């Protein structure tokens, strides 16, 4: 039993945790291997994150699986990542289903190879009735593009008379994002020691707590995740208010 897990207050859990899974290439290089070796050895870390969320009943977990910028990586690495994604979905689909998790996918999916899209659609369909939790994969995803597409859609609806400019507010705007059915991110975790957001959920993390870990993604464990939750619970989330106002509430 995890001693760290025992420190978690079940009454103060984040509803939505997002993770930038970084450091696979560096992990491989420290072992004298190619970058693709790191990607192949990152699956256990993905399982650890999913299982940790499932164990303490965090309803939404979003994983930055493949960014829109990742298409610019060497062709061999991109091909390996796509093949690995298909293999992982084939192997993990039943496990995801049996845990009661519903899988969602966000991003520019039209750029994905047909086989990848088919496997994603299969797991999304398989799990659509599940209610235990939500696993969101951000694939071929870039937040700036997501926001630009939302602006274009709103502009089109204004032009067609479906939306009044005066009625455009944060809530309406969010309805045009990929994440319109999800709560905002409460906690963003990034591994590998890098301190940047990398075009990930820029709108959705407006008031998220940010944790940057000096851990390469393949070394990510459930206890590391649980410690992130403990650290999150030790923060005072003020949303622009003062500490005294929060206490008064």
């Amino acid at each position: 039993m995890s001693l760290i897990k025992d420190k978690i207050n079940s009454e103060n859990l984040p509803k939505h945790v997002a993770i930038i899974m970084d450091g696979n290439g560096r992990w491989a290089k420290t072992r004298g291997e190619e970058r693709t070796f790191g990607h192949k050895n990152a699956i256990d870390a993905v399982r650890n994150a999913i299982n940790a969320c499932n164990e303490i009943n965090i309803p939404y977990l979003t994983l930055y699986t493949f960014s829109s910028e990742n298409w610019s990586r060497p062709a061999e690495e991109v091909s390996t990542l796509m093949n690995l994604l298909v293999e992982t979905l084939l192997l993990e689909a039943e496990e995801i289903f049996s845990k009661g998790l519903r899988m969602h996918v966000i991003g520019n999916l039209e750029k994905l190879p047909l086989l990848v899209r088919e496997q994603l659609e299969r797991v999304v369909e398989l799990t659509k009735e599940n209610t235990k939790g939500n696993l969101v994969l951000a694939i071929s995803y870039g937040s700036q593009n997501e926001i630009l597409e939302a602006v274009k859609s709103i502009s089109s609806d204004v032009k067609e008379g479906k939306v009044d400019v005066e009625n455009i507010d944060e809530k309406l705007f969010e309805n045009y994002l990929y994440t319109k059915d999800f709560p905002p991110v409460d906690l963003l975790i990034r591994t590998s020691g890098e301190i940047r957001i990398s075009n990930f959920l820029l709108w959705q993390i407006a008031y998220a707590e940010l944790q940057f870990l000096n851990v390469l993604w393949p070394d990510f464990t459930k206890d590391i995740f649980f410690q992130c939750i403990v650290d999150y619970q030790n923060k005072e989330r003020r949303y622009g208010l003062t500490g005294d106002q929060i206490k008064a509430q």
Side-chain angles (χ1 to χ4, degrees), residues 46-93:
V46 173
R47 292 193 191 104
N48 289 336
I50 294 171
N51 290 337
C53 269
N54 197 52
E55 285 181 25
I56 60 176
N57 297 314
I58 291 175
Y60 288 86
L61 172 66
T62 297
L63 300 177
Y64 205 4
T65 308
F66 189 88
S67 77
S68 53
E69 290 79 16
N70 287 157
W71 290 113
S72 299
R73 290 190 173 186
E76 181 184 355
E77 183 175 352
V78 171
S79 177
T80 297
L81 284 166
M82 290 297 111
N83 290 334
L84 185 59
L85 180 56
V86 171
E87 292 173 13
T88 303
L89 288 167
L90 287 170
L91 290 171
E92 304 294 329

XYZ file of all heavy atoms in Angstrom, residues 46-93:
382
model
N 2.233 5.424 -18.812
C 0.857 5.747 -19.176
C -0.110 4.927 -18.313
O -1.081 5.458 -17.763
C 0.607 5.475 -20.672
C -0.875 5.645 -21.011
C 1.445 6.410 -21.530
N 0.180 3.637 -18.181
C -0.669 2.792 -17.331
C -0.679 3.295 -15.895
O -1.723 3.304 -15.228
C -0.164 1.346 -17.357
C -0.331 0.612 -18.678
C -0.091 -0.873 -18.501
N 0.011 -1.546 -19.782
C 1.148 -1.960 -20.329
N 2.309 -1.752 -19.698
N 1.153 -2.574 -21.491
N 0.488 3.701 -15.399
C 0.575 4.188 -14.023
C -0.313 5.412 -13.808
O -1.006 5.523 -12.791
C 2.027 4.528 -13.673
C 2.901 3.301 -13.528
O 2.409 2.213 -13.248
N 4.194 3.469 -13.726
N -0.296 6.333 -14.770
C -1.115 7.542 -14.655
C -2.601 7.193 -14.692
O -3.391 7.699 -13.881
C -0.769 8.518 -15.772
N -2.978 6.323 -15.631
C -4.382 5.936 -15.752
C -4.851 5.204 -14.500
O -5.925 5.499 -13.943
C -4.585 5.053 -16.998
C -4.321 5.862 -18.277
C -5.999 4.473 -17.027
C -4.288 5.027 -19.537
N -4.050 4.258 -14.027
C -4.437 3.476 -12.846
C -4.507 4.336 -11.596
O -5.390 4.148 -10.750
C -3.457 2.323 -12.635
C -3.577 1.252 -13.702
O -4.622 1.127 -14.342
N -2.526 0.491 -13.926
N -3.574 5.283 -11.472
C -3.582 6.164 -10.300
C -4.852 7.001 -10.274
O -5.501 7.142 -9.227
C -2.346 7.054 -10.306
N -5.221 7.561 -11.415
C -6.463 8.343 -11.499
C -7.667 7.475 -11.151
O -8.571 7.896 -10.424
C -6.643 8.899 -12.904
S -5.947 10.535 -13.141
N -7.658 6.271 -11.678
C -8.778 5.346 -11.452
C -8.900 4.974 -9.976
O -10.002 4.903 -9.421
C -8.579 4.098 -12.308
C -9.848 3.286 -12.464
O -10.883 3.823 -12.842
N -9.770 2.006 -12.167
N -7.774 4.778 -9.324
C -7.781 4.343 -7.928
C -8.347 5.398 -6.985
O -8.989 5.061 -5.981
C -6.364 3.979 -7.483
C -5.881 2.644 -8.017
C -4.480 2.310 -7.528
O -4.088 2.820 -6.463
O -3.786 1.549 -8.229
N -8.101 6.676 -7.278
C -8.563 7.723 -6.362
C -9.739 8.516 -6.942
O -10.152 9.536 -6.390
C -7.419 8.676 -5.959
C -6.824 9.368 -7.179
C -6.341 7.923 -5.194
C -5.750 10.403 -6.815
N -10.280 8.009 -8.055
C -11.525 8.546 -8.622
C -11.419 9.997 -9.108
O -12.271 10.832 -8.812
C -12.668 8.428 -7.610
C -12.977 6.988 -7.259
O -13.072 6.138 -8.142
N -13.104 6.696 -5.980
N -10.365 10.265 -9.858
C -10.285 11.543 -10.573
C -11.020 11.355 -11.898
O -10.664 10.479 -12.682
C -8.822 11.963 -10.798
C -8.181 12.335 -9.455
C -8.733 13.121 -11.781
C -6.713 12.654 -9.525
N -12.054 12.142 -12.165
C -12.930 11.844 -13.304
C -12.366 12.117 -14.694
O -12.805 11.509 -15.660
C -14.165 12.708 -13.034
C -13.708 13.781 -12.105
C -12.604 13.189 -11.295
N -11.380 13.031 -14.818
C -10.849 13.347 -16.146
C -9.323 13.358 -16.124
O -8.714 14.027 -15.292
C -11.343 14.719 -16.628
C -12.797 14.736 -17.019
C -13.779 14.956 -16.059
C -13.201 14.512 -18.336
C -15.130 14.957 -16.395
C -14.538 14.511 -18.687
C -15.503 14.737 -17.713
O -16.824 14.731 -18.062
N -8.735 12.618 -17.064
C -7.291 12.615 -17.273
C -7.035 12.855 -18.751
O -7.515 12.096 -19.603
C -6.674 11.279 -16.853
C -5.186 11.086 -17.215
C -4.312 12.064 -16.434
C -4.745 9.640 -16.944
N -6.288 13.919 -19.069
C -5.930 14.200 -20.462
C -4.429 14.023 -20.642
O -3.634 14.591 -19.894
C -6.329 15.640 -20.860
O -7.747 15.773 -20.767
C -5.896 15.940 -22.290
N -4.053 13.225 -21.627
C -2.649 12.936 -21.907
C -2.256 13.550 -23.248
O -2.909 13.311 -24.269
C -2.416 11.421 -21.939
C -2.752 10.655 -20.656
C -2.543 9.149 -20.872
C -1.914 11.140 -19.477
N -1.180 14.348 -23.224
C -0.658 14.956 -24.458
C 0.116 13.878 -25.196
O 1.310 13.678 -24.982
C 0.243 16.128 -24.085
C 0.394 17.201 -25.137
C -0.302 17.179 -26.336
C 1.256 18.280 -24.906
C -0.160 18.181 -27.277
C 1.405 19.299 -25.842
C 0.701 19.246 -27.019
O 0.844 20.248 -27.949
N -0.554 13.203 -26.103
C -0.017 12.007 -26.742
C 0.843 12.319 -27.959
O 1.883 11.701 -28.183
C -1.186 11.091 -27.154
O -2.042 10.881 -26.009
C -0.684 9.748 -27.643
N 0.406 13.299 -28.756
C 1.146 13.656 -29.979
C 0.708 15.059 -30.366
O -0.476 15.308 -30.610
C 0.815 12.655 -31.097
C 1.676 12.786 -32.332
C 2.877 12.105 -32.418
C 1.274 13.571 -33.405
C 3.678 12.220 -33.555
C 2.054 13.687 -34.540
C 3.263 13.006 -34.616
N 1.651 15.984 -30.396
C 1.305 17.378 -30.678
C 1.284 17.652 -32.178
O 1.854 16.889 -32.975
C 2.298 18.324 -29.990
O 3.519 18.359 -30.702
N 0.659 18.765 -32.554
C 0.644 19.153 -33.969
C 2.067 19.424 -34.461
O 2.390 19.212 -35.629
C -0.238 20.388 -34.167
O 0.139 21.442 -33.304
N 2.930 19.876 -33.556
C 4.333 20.142 -33.915
C 5.136 18.847 -34.089
O 6.166 18.837 -34.774
C 4.996 21.015 -32.854
C 4.494 22.452 -32.810
C 3.163 22.598 -32.103
O 2.761 21.658 -31.372
O 2.515 23.649 -32.271
N 4.689 17.758 -33.480
C 5.416 16.494 -33.574
C 5.470 15.939 -34.993
O 6.318 15.094 -35.304
C 4.808 15.433 -32.650
C 5.095 15.671 -31.185
O 4.368 15.201 -30.301
N 6.155 16.410 -30.883
N 4.570 16.411 -35.872
C 4.621 15.951 -37.264
C 5.936 16.348 -37.934
O 6.318 15.761 -38.948
C 3.444 16.532 -38.062
C 2.103 15.977 -37.685
C 1.075 16.644 -37.080
C 1.624 14.647 -37.894
N 0.007 15.808 -36.891
C 0.314 14.573 -37.392
C 2.194 13.490 -38.465
C -0.445 13.399 -37.430
C 1.435 12.327 -38.503
C 0.135 12.286 -37.989
N 6.632 17.330 -37.371
C 7.895 17.798 -37.960
C 9.089 16.949 -37.541
O 10.212 17.180 -38.010
C 8.148 19.256 -37.551
O 7.112 20.094 -38.016
N 8.876 15.982 -36.670
C 9.979 15.122 -36.236
C 10.410 14.186 -37.365
O 9.697 14.040 -38.368
C 9.549 14.309 -35.009
C 9.386 15.164 -33.763
C 9.204 14.329 -32.520
N 9.208 15.168 -31.323
C 9.186 14.701 -30.083
N 9.160 13.396 -29.865
N 9.189 15.523 -29.054
N 11.567 13.525 -37.221
C 12.012 12.600 -38.268
C 10.936 11.576 -38.610
O 10.220 11.085 -37.735
C 13.242 11.927 -37.629
C 13.756 12.944 -36.658
C 12.539 13.626 -36.112
N 10.821 11.270 -39.909
C 9.755 10.389 -40.396
C 9.752 9.040 -39.675
O 8.687 8.488 -39.372
C 9.897 10.180 -41.899
N 10.946 8.500 -39.389
C 11.024 7.201 -38.717
C 10.408 7.273 -37.322
O 9.692 6.353 -36.897
C 12.479 6.741 -38.611
C 12.623 5.371 -37.945
C 14.078 4.970 -37.772
O 14.972 5.697 -38.241
O 14.312 3.908 -37.159
N 10.675 8.370 -36.618
C 10.123 8.513 -35.272
C 8.607 8.671 -35.310
O 7.893 8.072 -34.510
C 10.757 9.707 -34.556
C 10.275 9.855 -33.110
C 10.999 10.954 -32.371
O 11.978 11.509 -32.906
O 10.583 11.258 -31.239
N 8.107 9.460 -36.260
C 6.663 9.643 -36.387
C 5.990 8.314 -36.709
O 4.957 7.964 -36.130
C 6.338 10.685 -37.484
C 4.839 10.714 -37.777
C 6.814 12.066 -37.056
N 6.587 7.561 -37.625
C 6.035 6.261 -37.998
C 6.007 5.319 -36.801
O 5.012 4.607 -36.569
C 6.863 5.640 -39.131
O 6.384 4.355 -39.460
N 7.088 5.312 -36.025
C 7.139 4.470 -34.826
C 6.056 4.866 -33.837
O 5.376 4.008 -33.258
C 8.523 4.578 -34.148
O 9.512 4.084 -35.040
C 8.561 3.775 -32.854
N 5.879 6.161 -33.635
C 4.859 6.641 -32.702
C 3.460 6.237 -33.153
O 2.634 5.821 -32.334
C 4.947 8.159 -32.564
C 6.102 8.684 -31.710
C 6.292 10.176 -31.932
C 5.849 8.386 -30.246
N 3.189 6.346 -34.438
C 1.868 5.972 -34.958
C 1.629 4.466 -34.807
O 0.562 4.021 -34.375
C 1.738 6.376 -36.432
C 1.659 7.872 -36.669
S 0.204 8.646 -35.944
C 0.974 9.628 -34.635
N 2.652 3.664 -35.153
C 2.513 2.214 -35.007
C 2.354 1.815 -33.542
O 1.561 0.924 -33.205
C 3.739 1.500 -35.593
C 3.803 1.601 -37.106
O 2.776 1.752 -37.759
N 5.004 1.533 -37.661
N 3.097 2.498 -32.681
C 3.023 2.212 -31.258
C 1.641 2.558 -30.712
O 1.105 1.843 -29.859
C 4.103 2.991 -30.516
C 4.264 2.720 -29.018
C 4.590 1.248 -28.762
C 5.364 3.614 -28.444
N 1.071 3.637 -31.199
C -0.266 4.041 -30.761
C -1.288 2.976 -31.127
O -2.144 2.606 -30.303
C -0.633 5.380 -31.405
C -1.995 5.973 -31.058
C -2.163 6.125 -29.551
C -2.187 7.313 -31.756
N -1.207 2.450 -32.344
C -2.131 1.399 -32.774
C -1.948 0.147 -31.914
O -2.917 -0.440 -31.420
C -1.921 1.051 -34.265
C -2.719 -0.191 -34.646
C -2.333 2.226 -35.143
N -0.690 -0.262 -31.716
C -0.419 -1.455 -30.911
C -0.926 -1.290 -29.485
O -1.512 -2.217 -28.903
C 1.093 -1.717 -30.879
C 1.678 -2.149 -32.209
C 3.193 -2.223 -32.162
O 3.757 -2.173 -31.048
O 3.817 -2.308 -33.235
N -0.708 -0.117 -28.925
C -1.136 0.136 -27.554
C -2.648 0.095 -27.435
O -3.199 -0.479 -26.486
C -0.606 1.504 -27.067
O 0.817 1.516 -27.180
C -0.996 1.757 -25.623
N -3.342 0.686 -28.392
C -4.800 0.676 -28.370
C -5.331 -0.748 -28.477
O -6.293 -1.118 -27.793
C -5.353 1.531 -29.513
C -5.190 3.050 -29.342
C -5.488 3.762 -30.653
C -6.093 3.561 -28.239
N -4.700 -1.559 -29.317
C -5.114 -2.950 -29.454
C -4.934 -3.722 -28.145
O -5.789 -4.513 -27.744
C -4.309 -3.633 -30.575
C -4.666 -3.236 -32.008
C -3.636 -3.787 -32.987
C -6.054 -3.759 -32.368
N -3.812 -3.449 -27.472
C -3.498 -4.175 -26.242
C -4.292 -3.673 -25.043
O -4.676 -4.463 -24.168
C -2.000 -4.059 -25.936
C -1.040 -4.796 -26.864
C 0.397 -4.407 -26.560
C -1.226 -6.303 -26.726
N -4.541 -2.361 -24.996
C -5.116 -1.755 -23.800
C -6.621 -1.519 -23.873
O -7.225 -1.162 -22.857
C -4.425 -0.410 -23.529
C -2.915 -0.489 -23.388
C -2.490 -1.284 -22.160
O -3.220 -1.276 -21.152
O -1.416 -1.918 -22.221
N -7.230 -1.725 -25.032
C -8.651 -1.398 -25.189
C -9.521 -2.121 -24.157
O -10.376 -1.515 -23.499
C -9.120 -1.739 -26.600
